[in-house]
């Protein structure tokens, strides 16, 4: 098949997903409200944690929590699109798409593009709210590019994981399986205080959690003191490759089911 056919499938599917979102705004509310509520609760209600001895973060607690919530919103932006894939299978659209699409590789790419565009609106809103709330930014333009690049990769990783699950189970009942592992990994990272201030089993879990590197690197970017950048991008790109394979094998399994 030509490269153009891949692009056509990708763009047509992404446009369909965005059209559904435009006609059903209620589908967009959870991905928008969830990170905003978390940001308000974490950055506002827990702001006194910045006074804990050893908590040295120049840009302040609002920026500290903004990074986590940004990455969280990116991951769940991909997962919520996975819910849509499962619904498409339940309603029969995905099966018809598998039969009629000239290049099935464009299917995953189309869902990924839709997830990225959908999350970009959340990211703009979240960033705007954070700036209005007085978030300080110590990093420069290059640092912020690094932060949002990590978030974009994480968004695609979330989508690839969820799409692999959706294409294997092909039912919205798979939703808990899509979101629970992502939720657990995120909240076993250093959410409220830096890794060095954690104690006990949560410190051990966070230390070996791959997402800790993304969170710590993101906070370094926004604070203007980049740290663990190579490790963070290495882990993010490795996850991207692994879950791309997971999604492709899920697609192959769905193809065999039609």
């Amino acid at each position: 098949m030509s490269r153009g056919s891949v692009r056509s499938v990708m763009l047509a599917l992404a446009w369909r997903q965005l059209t559904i979102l435009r006609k059903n705004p209620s589908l967009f509310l959870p991905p928008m409200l969830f990170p905003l509520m978390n940001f308000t609760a974490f950055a506002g209600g827990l702001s006194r944690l910045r006074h804990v001895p050893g908590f040295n973060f120049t840009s302040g607690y609002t920026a500290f929590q903004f990074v986590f919530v940004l990455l969280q919103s990116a991951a769940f932006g991909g997962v919520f699109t996975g819910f849509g894939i499962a619904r498409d299978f339940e309603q029969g659209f995905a099966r018809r798409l598998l039969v009629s699409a000239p290049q099935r590789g464009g299917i995953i790419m189309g869902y990924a593009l839709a997830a990225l565009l959908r999350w970009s609106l959340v990211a703009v809103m979240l960033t705007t709210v954070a700036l209005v709330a007085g978030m300080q930014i110590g990093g420069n333009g290059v640092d912020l590019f690094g932060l949002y690049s990590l978030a974009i990769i994480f968004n695609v990783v979330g989508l690839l994981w969820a799409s692999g699950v959706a294409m294997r189970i092909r039912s919205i009942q798979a939703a808990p399986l899509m979101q629970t592992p992502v939720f657990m990994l995120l909240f076993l990272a250093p959410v409220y205080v830096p890794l060095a201030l954690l104690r006990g089993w949560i410190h051990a879990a966070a230390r070996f959690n791959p997402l800790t590197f993304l969170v710590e690197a993101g906070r370094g970017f926004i604070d203007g003191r980049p740290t663990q950048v190579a490790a963070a991008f290495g882990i993010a790109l490795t996850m991207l490759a692994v879950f791309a394979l997971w999604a492709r094998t899920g697609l192959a399994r769905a193809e065999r089911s039609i």
Side-chain angles (χ1 to χ4, degrees), residues 54-127:
F55 194 116
N56 299 315
F57 195 76
T58 307
S59 296
Y61 200 74
T62 299
F64 183 85
Q65 281 300 340
F66 169 77
V67 172
F68 174 78
V69 177
L70 181 72
L71 293 174
Q72 180 192 53
S73 71
F76 279 105
V79 170
F80 287 144
T81 301
F83 296 174
I85 298 174
R87 281 192 295 269
D88 284 345
F89 273 104
E90 282 193 342
Q91 295 170 1
F93 170 78
R95 289 182 173 85
R96 295 195 299 272
L97 181 64
L98 288 171
V99 171
S100 61
Q103 181 56 276
R104 290 169 177 169
I107 294 175
I108 295 176
M109 295 171 64
Y111 282 119
L113 178 59
L116 182 58
L117 293 174
R118 176 177 176 169
W119 171 72
S120 66
L121 299 177
V122 177
V124 169
M125 178 64 70
L126 183 61
T127 303

Side-chain angles (χ1 to χ4, degrees), residues 39-227:
F39 178 69
T40 302
F42 296 165
L46 301 174
S47 60
R48 292 188 65 83
L49 287 174
R50 69 185 186 276
H51 300 301
V52 172
F55 194 116
N56 299 315
F57 195 76
T58 307
S59 296
Y61 200 74
T62 299
F64 183 85
Q65 281 300 340
F66 169 77
V67 172
F68 174 78
V69 177
L70 181 72
L71 293 174
Q72 180 192 53
S73 71
F76 279 105
V79 170
F80 287 144
T81 301
F83 296 174
I85 298 174
R87 281 192 295 269
D88 284 345
F89 273 104
E90 282 193 342
Q91 295 170 1
F93 170 78
R95 289 182 173 85
R96 295 195 299 272
L97 181 64
L98 288 171
V99 171
S100 61
Q103 181 56 276
R104 290 169 177 169
I107 294 175
I108 295 176
M109 295 171 64
Y111 282 119
L113 178 59
L116 182 58
L117 293 174
R118 176 177 176 169
W119 171 72
S120 66
L121 299 177
V122 177
V124 169
M125 178 64 70
L126 183 61
T127 303
T128 301
V129 170
L131 291 173
V132 170
M135 180 175 70
Q136 301 177 30
I137 299 176
N140 56 30
V142 175
D143 294 327
L144 294 180
F145 177 80
L147 170 60
Y148 285 96
S149 295
L150 276 177
I152 288 171
I153 296 172
F154 205 28
N155 174 258
V156 179
V157 167
L159 176 279
L160 293 174
W161 156 253
S163 66
V165 174
M167 291 179 180
R168 283 169 169 81
I169 300 179
R170 298 182 286 280
S171 169
I172 195 60
Q173 294 181 4
L177 182 56
M178 296 182 206
Q179 63 183 352
T180 301
V182 178
F183 180 87
M184 294 300 296
L185 281 174
L186 280 165
F187 280 92
L188 287 176
V191 179
Y192 307 115
V193 296
L195 178 63
L197 296 183
L198 294 177
R199 296 292 182 269
W201 70 268
I202 190 64
H203 179 271
R207 182 180 178 187
F208 294 102
N209 184 349
L211 300 190
T212 295
F213 291 90
L214 276 68
V215 173
E216 295 282 284
R219 287 169 174 164
F221 280 132
I222 204 167
D223 203 35
R225 297 182 293 179
T227 180

